[in-house]
Amino acid sequence: MGIVLKQTFKNTIVTFIGFGFGAVNTLFLYTNILDSTYYGLVTFILATGAILMPIMSSGAHNALVKYYSAQDEGNKNGFLSLILLAPLMIIVPLALLVWLFYNGIGNFLSTQNAMVKDYLWYLFLVGLSLAYFEIFYAWGKVHLKSVFGNFLKEVFARVCTSILLVLLYLDIISLDFFLVALVGVYLLRTLLMKIYAYSLHRPRLSFKFPKEARQIVGYGLFMVLGGSVALILLEIDKVMINQFWSLDNVAYYGVAIYIATSIIVPTRAMHQITYPMTAGYLNGGNSFELENLYKKTSLTSFIASGILFVLVVLNLEDLYLMIPEEYRNGFFIVFLIGMAKVFDSLLGNINAVLYYSQYYKWVLAMGISFALLTILLNLWFIPIYGIEGAAIASFVSIFLFNLSKLIFVKLKFGMLPTTPATFKVFATLLLIGALFSALQFPFHPLVNIGLKSSLILVMYLGILFRFNISEDVTGVMSKWLKRKTP
């Protein structure tokens, strides 16, 4: 776990910096600079682009991670050329469809909000940039170099967005230019990721593809479904709210979702390095190391996401006091989605275990079922309960999908992510939540958040260290304390 902890630590710092900029953008700059309708439009564009990403990538980034370690030096140029060319099988026909049927697609998406029709190409370009970014990012991951890619993914775009919002506020740029430049940021990020990926291994174009080329492409296309399932579970609610309610509601929902998403930041950082390691263990048939990694990623992720969930829920009242009033009615959404994110983290690297194993087709079939369930539940709940209905639909689908994956891995691999330490962490979180739920300081909300969070973290880390609940966490804290001790 040395390389995992080292890169996870760096990725966590980078991801939290990115989250900090994202929080400033989401909670303060967007809400105070952009009209809520245009904020909803931005949220819709980015969410739709994210859903298009796995389709436009043709699953090439997943195929790269799964098959790269199995290629010898003589095959790598042909393999990497195949990875780069495969997405064009989908991107080119999709571009033609948008061009030929622009009005029909636009009319469908703009049923409730007419302005959406003018931004179809923005959706396409964001999806395109996200697709190739993930391919070049996977290029770095297979070389166990994930930190720079994580910086571009988590920090770069958000810093650029902050700058654009400030320029918009100062009337240096227009709203139309802001929207164009926002798409340009994602295209630029992809170019930078490509340059870095090529610095690690610059391929030569070769049409001498590997013998298993059909299998590689087939796997990638199957993973289109897998990636789409994951993003449908995460993003479809924002897209579907657009079909029933005004774009303002997309903005209000997006703020609550962003707050809840902060809970899984450390888990996302860990996955950047554990996913290629998981693929390596599966390719090598190393079941012992695979199970060890499964349990350790689960415990470490749960320790981090669990306390973040407690911090978010206990500080939410103060946090909402610092943003415009119309964005404050999201406690129920944050709580439900936050619970789903904690469950996600408890499963550790389970997605990598499933997607890079021989059982990926079964998992994809299962995922498609739950993606359809998500759409149906959104169609049912959103017209009745509005944005809270979207949260209910997402929670039910994510919970059931995660439960099915947990059972599947137990049946096929004989592994569970939980250990006795998992239940100790759970008991600790319940204790802290109960003790601090009634504590409220009378100061400025920012000061209140800082004080309460500091007390909670000191108690939490103290319990983890005193009872040695996690060897990895205790090891890091021991080194830190020794360094601080004169």
Side-chain angles (χ1 to χ4, degrees):
M1 287 289 285
I3 190 171
V4 175
L5 281 175
K6 185 176 180 180
Q7 290 214 28
T8 296
F9 178 71
K10 292 180 180 179
N11 282 330
T12 300
I13 292 174
V14 169
T15 306
F16 268 113
I17 292 172
F19 172 75
F21 278 100
V24 170
N25 292 343
T26 302
L27 302 178
F28 305 111
L29 296 184
Y30 271 125
T31 55
N32 288 287
I33 295 173
L34 275 190
D35 178 82
S36 58
T37 298
Y38 279 97
Y39 184 13
L41 175 64
V42 170
T43 304
F44 174 76
I45 290 172
L46 298 181
T48 307
I51 291 175
L52 288 173
M53 182 276 291
I55 300 171
M56 299 176 80
S57 72
S58 75
H61 56 299
N62 298 108
L64 176 56
V65 173
K66 178 174 174 61
Y67 290 102
Y68 183 83
S69 62
Q71 304 300 313
D72 56 41
E73 287 300 320
N75 286 339
K76 283 187 177 176
N77 283 323
F79 171 72
L80 293 174
S81 297
L82 177 66
I83 292 296
L84 292 174
L85 294 173
L88 299 179
M89 296 186 303
I90 294 178
I91 290 171
V92 173
L94 188 60
L96 288 173
L97 283 174
V98 174
W99 182 61
L100 292 172
F101 302 101
Y102 188 95
N103 287 330
I105 298 171
N107 290 336
F108 173 74
L109 292 176
S110 59
T111 302
Q112 185 67 33
N113 300 286
M115 66 189 303
V116 168
K117 184 177 180 179
D118 298 328
Y119 297 93
L120 287 192
W121 284 113
Y122 291 49
L123 311 181
F124 181 87
L125 290 174
V126 170
L128 174 66
S129 62
L130 292 176
Y132 269 102
F133 177 85
E134 289 299 330
I135 292 171
F136 294 124
Y137 189 14
W139 202 299
K141 289 179 187 178
V142 297
H143 289 90
L144 301 183
K145 299 288 185 181
S146 62
V147 177
F148 181 72
N150 195 43
F151 168 80
L152 289 178
K153 184 172 185 175
E154 303 291 352
V155 179
F156 177 78
R158 289 166 175 161
V159 171
C160 291
T161 301
S162 299
I163 295 171
L164 289 174
L165 284 167
V166 172
L167 293 176
L168 179 64
Y169 175 74
L170 296 175
D171 289 327
I172 296 175
I173 62 174
S174 66
L175 181 57
D176 288 338
F177 183 86
F178 168 80
L179 294 171
V180 171
L182 188 63
V183 175
V185 164
Y186 284 89
L187 293 169
L188 175 61
R189 186 182 70 165
T190 301
L191 177 61
L192 294 175
M193 189 68 241
K194 174 186 175 180
I195 293 171
Y196 179 72
Y198 279 19
S199 74
L200 298 174
H201 181 96
R202 185 178 183 86
R204 289 175 298 167
L205 183 63
S206 171
F207 294 100
K208 188 180 178 182
F209 300 142
K211 291 183 296 183
E212 67 271 36
R214 182 177 297 180
Q215 180 183 350
I216 292 169
V217 173
Y219 174 81
L221 293 175
F222 266 106
M223 293 310 297
V224 168
L225 299 176
S228 298
V229 165
L231 284 164
I232 283 173
L233 291 172
L234 292 173
E235 303 287 355
I236 196 65
D237 42 11
K238 299 170 191 170
V239 176
M240 294 186 70
I241 290 171
N242 169 70
Q243 296 298 103
F244 296 100
W245 298 84
S246 67
L247 283 171
D248 308 58
N249 290 279
V250 180
Y252 306 151
Y253 186 76
V255 169
I257 290 297
Y258 188 84
I259 295 171
T261 303
S262 66
I263 291 163
I264 209 165
V265 166
T267 302
R268 285 168 53 191
M270 179 177 289
H271 287 340
Q272 313 312 328
I273 189 65
T274 58
Y275 272 34
M277 291 181 69
T278 304
Y281 291 147
L282 285 165
N283 288 337
N286 195 335
S287 57
F288 175 80
E289 290 296 340
L290 180 66
E291 182 173 6
N292 187 47
L293 185 64
Y294 183 39
K295 291 181 180 294
K296 286 198 172 187
T297 54
S298 169
L299 180 60
T300 304
S301 297
F302 184 49
I303 286 172
S305 64
I307 193 59
L308 284 174
F309 175 74
V310 171
L311 288 171
V312 165
V313 170
L314 295 184
N315 286 303
L316 195 55
E317 183 178 344
D318 283 310
L319 180 61
Y320 273 149
L321 291 175
M322 295 190 293
I323 64 177
E325 187 173 352
E326 60 267 28
Y327 290 90
R328 295 179 187 174
N329 298 321
F331 183 89
F332 180 74
I333 298 170
V334 172
F335 184 82
L336 272 188
I337 301 301
M339 288 286 288
K341 296 299 181 184
V342 172
F343 194 8
D344 275 345
S345 68
L346 183 61
L347 299 186
N349 64 330
I350 194 169
N351 286 333
V353 173
L354 293 170
Y355 291 159
Y356 302 136
S357 74
Q358 60 183 315
Y359 302 111
Y360 67 91
K361 293 181 181 179
W362 292 95
V363 178
L364 294 180
M366 198 162 48
I368 292 170
S369 301
F370 284 104
L372 292 174
L373 175 63
T374 303
I375 294 171
L376 292 174
L377 289 175
N378 274 291
L379 288 172
W380 181 13
F381 289 135
I382 290 176
I384 301 173
Y385 302 110
I387 58 177
E388 292 188 348
I392 295 170
S394 294
F395 174 79
V396 171
S397 300
I398 293 171
F399 179 84
L400 292 176
F401 187 38
N402 282 339
L403 184 62
S404 67
K405 289 188 290 185
L406 185 67
I407 294 171
F408 190 89
V409 168
K410 173 60 179 173
L411 292 175
K412 296 298 183 180
F413 293 89
M415 302 187 304
L416 282 173
T418 54
T419 65
T422 305
F423 300 100
K424 294 177 183 178
V425 173
F426 181 68
T428 302
L429 293 170
L430 285 178
L431 173 64
I432 290 175
L435 289 177
F436 287 91
S437 60
L439 179 64
Q440 186 65 40
F441 294 105
F443 310 117
H444 185 276
L446 195 59
V447 176
N448 294 343
I449 291 172
L451 286 173
K452 187 183 289 187
S453 298
S454 298
L455 291 173
I456 290 173
L457 286 173
V458 167
M459 182 175 179
Y460 185 62
L461 293 174
I463 292 173
L464 293 179
F465 183 74
R466 172 65 180 81
F467 295 100
N468 192 24
I469 293 176
S470 167
E471 292 180 3
D472 292 326
V473 173
T474 301
V476 170
M477 291 184 65
S478 296
K479 290 180 181 179
W480 185 81
L481 290 172
K482 287 178 181 177
R483 196 177 301 151
K484 292 294 181 180
T485 303

